[in-house]
């Protein structure tokens, strides 16, 4: 069911990687990182899906369907998970959606939601989320996709490496980015449809990974694109894609899930900010000379990608794969987050079906 988290500051725990990195995530190889694709009513989307563990993920809120202010849970939302290192692909229906309380669909501020699925399954793996941009050597933009939704056949990811750099045009085109540059990364890179399609349109990459200490870790998801000299990525003069970084929203996710969310930092004194109700500075964009788009770019631009009228391929059971041990050394860091009372960890008590 859709819900929002009402934040109250209490003690909660995040698991941090102190030093060292897992052998299952070699340099320039994503085979050690579990990845997913978000599917709606049998149609795969261009939306970035950041898997937190075998039962939860983060997604741009604009990729969901709404009835007014309420998330439309009549839509068949599904999460497809690749085999990665354990050879165990899976798909699960989404059981619950929690939209960030600060989400503004008009400005795209706090455009993020937590999805829960596989509720009866084991927590047998998790991903680590990159925390400190200053520690990142480069960024890897990735497009994940299914070659066939009906059979859950995966295509090889498309990717592009860029330096962790600042592009002045990013702030010029987006007041939201200009006011919150530390919470986003921006790129001029776009990519065509993942499989042959009768379309000249481009789409943003869906995910961005950070390279640190010779390995890649998920860092952000596509949030929105700003287009100059056009109204879509089918015909335009210039464009920038903006990826919201996951780091500051990890306490929000943990408060929703009531369990550990994992992150990576080379410096073991680094830890996420502590507020579950953290929000970026919300800024209106009154410039009519460019277009701002978000959500599923396949659907927005009429791009045909593989879909299925019935996406039930018999993969609804839990992964059954071996546990992802993660880092050889870890530490637990106490932080103050919401959705708990009296210092005791509790699931959110109020489930409110509103958009933001």
């Amino acid at each position: 069911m859709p819900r929002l988290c009402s934040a109250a500051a209490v003690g909660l725990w995040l698991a941090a990687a102190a030093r060292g990195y897992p052998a299952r995530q070699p340099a320039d190889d994503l085979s050690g990182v579990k990845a997913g694709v978000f599917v709606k009513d049998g149609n795969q989307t261009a939306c970035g899906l950041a898997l937190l563990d075998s039962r939860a993920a983060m997604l741009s809120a604009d990729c969901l369907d709404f009835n007014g202010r309420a998330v439309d849970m009549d839509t068949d939302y599904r999460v497809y998970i690749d085999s990665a290192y354990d050879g165990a692909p899976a798909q699960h229906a989404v059981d619950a959606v929690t939209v960030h309380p600060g989400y503004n669909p008009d400005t795209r501020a706090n455009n993020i939601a937590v999805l829960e699925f596989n509720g009866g399954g084991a927590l047998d793996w998790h991903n680590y989320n990159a925390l400190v941009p200053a520690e990142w050597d480069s960024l890897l933009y990735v497009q994940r996709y299914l070659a066939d939704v009906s059979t859950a056949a995966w295509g090889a990811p498309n990717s592009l490496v860029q330096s962790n750099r600042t592009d002045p045009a990013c702030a010029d085109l987006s007041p939201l980015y200009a006011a919150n540059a530390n919470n986003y990364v921006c790129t001029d890179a776009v990519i065509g449809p993942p499989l042959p399609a009768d379309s000249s349109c481009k789409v943003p990459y869906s995910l961005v990974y950070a390279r640190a200490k010779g390995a890649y870790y998920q860092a952000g998801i596509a949030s929105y694109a700003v287009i100059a000299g056009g109204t879509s990525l089918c015909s335009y003069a210039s464009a920038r894609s903006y990826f919201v970084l996951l780091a500051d929203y990890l306490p929000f996710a943990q408060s929703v899930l009531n369990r550990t969310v994992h992150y990576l930092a080379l410096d073991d004194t680094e830890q996420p900010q502590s507020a579950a109700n953290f929000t970026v500075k919300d800024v209106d964009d009154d410039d009519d000379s460019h277009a701002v788009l978000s959500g599923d770019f396949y659907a927005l631009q009429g791009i045909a990608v593989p879909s299925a009228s019935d996406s039930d391929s018999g993969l609804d059971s839990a992964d059954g794969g071996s546990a992802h041990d993660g880092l050889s050394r870890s530490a637990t860091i106490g932080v103050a987050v919401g959705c708990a009372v009296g210092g005791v960890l509790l699931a959110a008590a109020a489930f409110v079906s509103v958009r933001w």
Side-chain angles (χ1 to χ4, degrees), residues 139 141 162-182 184-189 224-228 238-243 285 287 290-292:
L139 299 173
Y141 293 93
Q162 286 190 337
S163 62
N164 188 13
R165 59 188 172 82
T166 300
D167 178 355
C170 293
D172 293 341
L173 286 172
S174 173
L176 181 65
Y177 174 86
N180 304 280
N182 292 332
Y184 295 87
V185 294
C186 166
T187 179
D188 59 353
Y224 63 97
V226 180
I227 299 153
S238 65
R240 295 294 184 274
S241 301
Y242 298 83
F243 294 71
D285 186 351
D287 188 345
H290 55 249
V292 182

Side-chain angles (χ1 to χ4, degrees), residues 35-49:
V37 166
F38 182 58
V39 174
K40 292 168 56 176
D41 287 337
N43 299 307
Q44 69 174 305
T45 70
C47 303
L49 187 72

